[in-house]
Amino acid sequence: MNKNITILQIAEESGVSIATVSRVLSGNVPVAPKTRARVEEVIKKYHYTPNPMAQGLILRQSKTLGVIVPDITNPYFSTLFTQIEYFAHQAHYSVILCNTSFSATSYAGGEHEKEENYFQMVLDKKVDGVIIAGGQIDLCEVSEDYRNALRHLASSIPVVVIGQSLSDVPCHFVNIAQTKGVSIAIHYLASLGHRRIGFVGGERGVVVTESRLGAYHSMVESLSLDDDPELISTSDYYLPDGYRAAKKLLDLEKPVTAMLAMNDNIAIGTIRAITDYCLRIPEDIALISCDQFIDGTYLTPRLTALDRHTEELGLYVIQLLLCKIQNTAEPALPDFSPNLVIRESSGKKLSV
Amino acid sequence: MNKNITILQIAEESGVSIATVSRVLSGNVPVAPKTRARVEEVIKKYHYTPNPMAQGLILRQSKTLGVIVPDITNPYFSTLFTQIEYFAHQAHYSVILCNTSFSATSYAGGEHEKEENYFQMVLDKKVDGVIIAGGQIDLCEVSEDYRNALRHLASSIPVVVIGQSLSDVPCHFVNIAQTKGVSIAIHYLASLGHRRIGFVGGERGVVVTESRLGAYHSMVESLSLDDDPELISTSDYYLPDGYRAAKKLLDLEKPVTAMLAMNDNIAIGTIRAITDYCLRIPEDIALISCDQFIDGTYLTPRLTALDRHTEELGLYVIQLLLCKIQNTAEPALPDFSPNLVIRESSGKKLSV
DNA sequence: CTGAAAGCGCTTACAG
DNA sequence: CTGAAAGCGCTTACAG
């Protein structure tokens, strides 16, 4: 199958040495205009492009990046990836996407090998840099194996991690504060008159969940809202989880008047649960999603949600990685403060 | 940064030649047990793995696959990809994901270069095989440039295309019939008593849309349902499109009693539109999605949808590609007949 | 401006 | 069973 047009053939047909062909290809070395023209013609004729393996061997770069995510099916990660790939492609890098299937639940169940395997894989592949988004890094307790694997990876090539900083691991950690958005959302709900606000979804022992829970508690305290452990109903991050977790809240003796959902998936499951209980949103229960995945304008009810600028984050991390690879100045850290997009589901001021 | 442990270092430290190291690595050549043990120890000590570029240069394979999709953010493609990547990884291949951003609309707007660029890119990268899912291949009229680029690609490496067959292009085309699902859905709606069924979403000139529309028309005819051009409201494939398209149907003088949405995105937009008109699903309008993206059990209303076995499709195409690469027997073509999952949104039998 | 040659890190006949 | 050597397709000092 392989056409196998090599630099040698181009050289022969152009009547020059392979060194000269290489030079016209590289572009930044003086070559006589006539020679260059002749060679370029032959190159065009055969659609010749240098074998990246041979090039990579000498240049010590593969022009390939690795992106490691737990679940590309999750809109958060696919949005992130889209930005990363777009920018990388512009810069003539291709990207290997690794889908580790990591989940806190399956991890707890003992499947804790895959991510480290992927670290080794991208290393073996000689990628020029790696972006890691989510996975075990999101657990409050990171295993020693993971830490070592990450350290090993990062000591070989540049790696940007979206997640909590780990000391003694030479990655560039991009850690977005999770507390602000929750504070804004609860503040808003409280301003509407809600005192009893439920927290739905997310899994304990995961950084995002715990830090948002922390923000929740401190807001509850500072605004003197109902402080009741029953108000917290965690689960995981998907539709069925939202459904299950919300039901627990709906079964409470003293009902909540508002709910904070971990993300849009959870919110959709929550809507389903609330509807099952023949309650209305927002009339009976106000709802806000802490992480906008899709445009809430088209959901029913129109979902009030925190926009966390995921696209900008994707753009930022790829720019960062490329800078580290090429040793150029890092881009400034954008302001990732979330935006509360108020729509229908959060409702109006409660009449007392 | 590069540790640069090469086969030479392993050989020296083991007191053998690099040829021997290479042999213990390959595994399928006789090596004295003691020699093997010694070498393996050193390999382990340094976590040595052969440089894939050097290997690739000789073996003429990169152990890398290319997957080209228009939009990884679309659940259909991310589901497909997840399966592909999972299986590829098992087989020790890594996959480069190319997100072309192709859309029929932007294509019509003149942006018709990107896909061909990606074809060239994966070719230059020397991937061992390519899977193409969607993109220009989904247009009823494929440009000559695209056709040529695809032919060029496919004449160099194995490529599997999910989409219509193109004559004279040596790809393996996997073409799933689109008519059956629509027939089942309309049949079901008609059995419930619906005579006036709207078709929402999808874009004209796109194979899926046109063939589903064809199935729609032939069912309308064979079941003697209302046949009215106004009943067709196409747009594109996302939420806002569903919303807009559904509104057009809702503005009709003679209202529809049921709607067929191109996919879950369209269905969600349609739900929003129907709700805006203060109508109920399914009491006033029954709704079926032709392409299930997420578990409709958790939507409100619970969405009746066609399950098209996207995961199985992903698994099939990657198996197919690997077989073509390794020259082994092709897997049997599974039955991809869609499944109508009946839930709430399609309603009950109409009372006459 | 251009060519001959070394070398990137590996695999695999070819001898022994 | 093992080593020396050629060669995969390229780039880049080194001469000229």
Side-chain angles (χ1 to χ4, degrees):
Chain A
M1 286 225 174
N2 228 312
K3 292 299 178 54
N4 243 358
I5 300 144
T6 72
I7 197 171
L8 221 203
Q9 274 133 84
I10 302 296
E12 283 173 351
E13 182 143 346
S14 315
V16 297
S17 73
I18 60 168
T20 299
V21 176
S22 179
R23 285 182 191 114
V24 347
L25 244 14
S26 90
N28 40 230
V29 181
V31 175
K34 299 95 85 59
T35 315
R36 148 158 289 134
R38 191 147 30 93
V39 174
E40 273 172 348
E41 202 172 320
V42 180
I43 288 174
K44 200 139 298 165
K45 173 174 167 192
Y46 290 102
H47 281 97
Y48 169 74
T49 57
N51 184 319
M53 289 160 177
Q55 274 190 141
L57 205 51
I58 299 180
L59 269 23
R60 309 182 161 290
Q61 56 164 0
S62 59
K63 283 285 181 184
T64 302
L65 269 24
V67 171
I68 304 178
V69 301
D71 176 16
I72 193 64
T73 262
N74 181 319
Y76 172 75
F77 294 112
S78 59
T79 300
L80 221 44
F81 179 83
T82 300
Q83 294 306 111
I84 292 172
E85 199 271 350
Y86 179 78
F87 198 84
H89 187 244
Q90 299 276 314
H92 304 290
Y93 282 84
S94 49
V95 5
I96 291 177
L97 177 55
C98 306
N99 199 247
T100 63
S101 307
F102 176 91
S103 86
T105 319
S106 68
Y107 175 76
E111 299 168 39
H112 47 274
E113 236 190 309
K114 288 202 89 189
E115 284 186 282
E116 286 92 318
N117 286 347
Y118 272 107
F119 290 176
Q120 189 61 48
M121 189 265 259
V122 292
L123 206 52
D124 294 347
K125 278 279 173 179
K126 304 287 183 209
V127 299
D128 296 337
V130 177
I131 292 173
I132 298 172
Q136 194 177 148
I137 189 71
D138 283 341
L139 297 187
C140 296
E141 294 291 331
V142 167
S143 76
E144 206 47 45
D145 282 356
Y146 180 88
R147 190 186 212 94
N148 287 335
L150 190 54
R151 186 184 295 123
H152 179 61
L153 177 64
S155 60
S156 304
I157 48 176
V159 4
V160 172
V161 175
I162 301 180
Q164 64 178 313
S165 295
L166 257 31
S167 56
D168 294 330
V169 180
C171 299
H172 191 124
F173 293 94
V174 177
N175 204 346
I176 307 300
Q178 298 297 338
T179 54
K180 212 164 178 177
V182 173
S183 305
I184 296 172
I186 295 189
H187 206 278
Y188 181 70
L189 252 15
S191 78
L192 259 29
H194 295 279
R195 323 292 326 158
R196 200 165 169 77
I197 302 171
F199 185 102
V200 194
E203 196 163 23
R204 299 306 304 241
V206 173
V207 178
V208 235
T209 306
E210 296 298 343
S211 62
R212 289 183 183 177
L213 230 29
Y216 169 89
H217 281 125
S218 70
M219 283 308 283
V220 162
E221 184 171 3
S222 73
L223 297 175
S224 309
L225 306 177
D226 279 16
D227 191 359
D228 189 341
E230 285 187 334
L231 262 27
I232 311 294
S233 181
T234 54
S235 51
D236 201 334
Y237 300 90
Y238 296 89
L239 264 58
D241 308 300
Y243 181 68
R244 246 180 293 119
K247 275 174 76 170
K248 250 185 263 169
L249 250 33
L250 292 164
D251 284 332
L252 252 37
E253 279 194 31
K254 197 174 165 197
V256 301
T257 63
M259 293 189 189
L260 212 57
M262 266 306 268
N263 60 37
D264 277 12
N265 282 341
I266 296 293
I268 290 173
T270 298
I271 292 172
R272 180 65 265 173
I274 293 176
T275 309
D276 275 2
Y277 279 68
C278 296
L279 296 172
R280 295 157 305 162
I281 305 170
E283 293 83 350
D284 299 312
I285 295 180
L287 179 64
I288 293 183
S289 162
C290 289
D291 218 330
Q292 174 169 293
F293 285 170
I294 56 180
D295 188 345
T297 308
Y298 297 99
L299 292 176
T300 309
R302 300 181 206 275
L303 188 62
T304 294
L306 283 161
D307 175 0
R308 293 186 177 274
H309 316 295
T310 308
E311 304 203 343
E312 286 80 353
L313 177 58
L315 192 60
Y316 174 67
V317 293
I318 179 61
Q319 288 182 145
L320 198 57
L321 183 64
L322 257 19
C323 288
K324 294 180 85 73
I325 290 173
Q326 297 159 353
N327 249 306
T328 55
E330 288 178 12
L333 182 71
D335 180 14
F336 290 117
S337 300
N339 229 52
L340 183 67
V341 186
I342 299 171
R343 287 185 278 245
E344 190 183 4
S345 72
S346 47
K348 301 205 195 314
K349 208 163 172 71
L350 291 187
S351 45
V352 193
Chain B
M1 285 229 176
N2 228 312
K3 293 294 177 59
N4 243 0
I5 300 145
T6 72
I7 197 172
L8 221 202
Q9 275 132 85
I10 303 296
E12 284 174 349
E13 183 142 347
S14 315
V16 297
S17 73
I18 59 169
T20 300
V21 176
S22 180
R23 286 184 190 111
V24 349
L25 244 14
S26 90
N28 40 230
V29 182
V31 175
K34 300 97 84 58
T35 315
R36 150 159 287 132
R38 193 149 26 95
V39 174
E40 273 172 347
E41 200 174 320
V42 180
I43 287 174
K44 199 139 300 165
K45 172 174 167 192
Y46 291 102
H47 282 95
Y48 169 74
T49 57
N51 184 319
M53 288 159 178
Q55 275 190 140
L57 204 52
I58 299 180
L59 271 22
R60 304 181 166 290
Q61 57 165 356
S62 60
K63 284 287 184 183
T64 303
L65 268 24
V67 171
I68 304 179
V69 301
D71 177 16
I72 193 64
T73 263
N74 182 320
Y76 171 75
F77 294 111
S78 60
T79 300
L80 221 45
F81 179 83
T82 300
Q83 295 306 111
I84 293 172
E85 198 272 348
Y86 179 77
F87 198 84
H89 187 244
Q90 300 276 313
H92 303 290
Y93 282 84
S94 50
V95 6
I96 291 177
L97 176 55
C98 305
N99 198 250
T100 64
S101 306
F102 177 90
S103 88
T105 318
S106 69
Y107 176 74
E111 299 167 38
H112 47 273
E113 236 189 308
K114 287 202 90 190
E115 284 186 282
E116 286 93 319
N117 287 346
Y118 272 107
F119 290 175
Q120 189 60 47
M121 190 264 260
V122 291
L123 206 52
D124 294 346
K125 278 279 173 180
K126 304 286 183 211
V127 298
D128 297 336
V130 178
I131 292 173
I132 298 173
Q136 195 177 146
I137 190 72
D138 284 341
L139 296 188
C140 296
E141 295 290 332
V142 167
S143 76
E144 206 46 46
D145 282 356
Y146 180 87
R147 191 186 213 95
N148 288 335
L150 189 54
R151 186 183 294 123
H152 179 62
L153 177 64
S155 59
S156 304
I157 47 177
V159 3
V160 172
V161 175
I162 301 179
Q164 63 179 315
S165 295
L166 257 29
S167 56
D168 295 330
V169 179
C171 299
H172 190 123
F173 293 94
V174 177
N175 205 346
I176 307 300
Q178 298 298 335
T179 54
K180 211 164 179 176
V182 173
S183 306
I184 296 172
I186 294 189
H187 206 279
Y188 181 70
L189 252 13
S191 78
L192 259 29
H194 295 279
R195 322 294 322 159
R196 199 165 170 77
I197 302 171
F199 185 101
V200 195
E203 194 161 23
R204 300 305 305 244
V206 173
V207 177
V208 236
T209 306
E210 297 298 343
S211 62
R212 288 183 183 177
L213 230 28
Y216 170 89
H217 281 125
S218 70
M219 283 308 283
V220 162
E221 185 170 4
S222 73
L223 298 175
S224 307
L225 305 177
D226 280 15
D227 190 0
D228 189 339
E230 284 186 336
L231 261 28
I232 312 294
S233 182
T234 55
S235 51
D236 201 334
Y237 300 90
Y238 295 88
L239 266 57
D241 308 301
Y243 181 68
R244 246 182 291 117
K247 274 175 75 170
K248 249 185 261 169
L249 249 35
L250 292 164
D251 284 332
L252 253 38
E253 278 194 31
K254 199 174 164 197
V256 300
T257 63
M259 293 189 191
L260 212 58
M262 267 304 270
N263 59 37
D264 277 12
N265 283 340
I266 295 293
I268 290 173
T270 297
I271 292 172
R272 180 66 265 175
I274 294 175
T275 309
D276 275 0
Y277 280 68
C278 295
L279 296 171
R280 293 157 308 161
I281 305 170
E283 294 83 351
D284 300 310
I285 296 181
L287 178 64
I288 293 183
S289 162
C290 290
D291 217 330
Q292 173 168 295
F293 285 170
I294 55 180
D295 187 345
T297 308
Y298 298 99
L299 291 178
T300 310
R302 299 180 207 275
L303 188 62
T304 294
L306 285 160
D307 176 0
R308 294 186 175 274
H309 315 294
T310 307
E311 303 202 346
E312 286 81 351
L313 178 57
L315 193 60
Y316 174 66
V317 293
I318 178 63
Q319 288 183 143
L320 198 57
L321 183 65
L322 255 21
C323 288
K324 296 182 82 74
I325 291 172
Q326 297 159 353
N327 250 307
T328 55
E330 288 178 13
L333 183 69
D335 180 15
F336 289 118
S337 300
N339 229 53
L340 183 66
V341 186
I342 298 171
R343 287 184 277 246
E344 186 183 6
S345 72
S346 48
K348 301 203 193 315
K349 209 164 170 73
L350 289 187
S351 45
V352 194

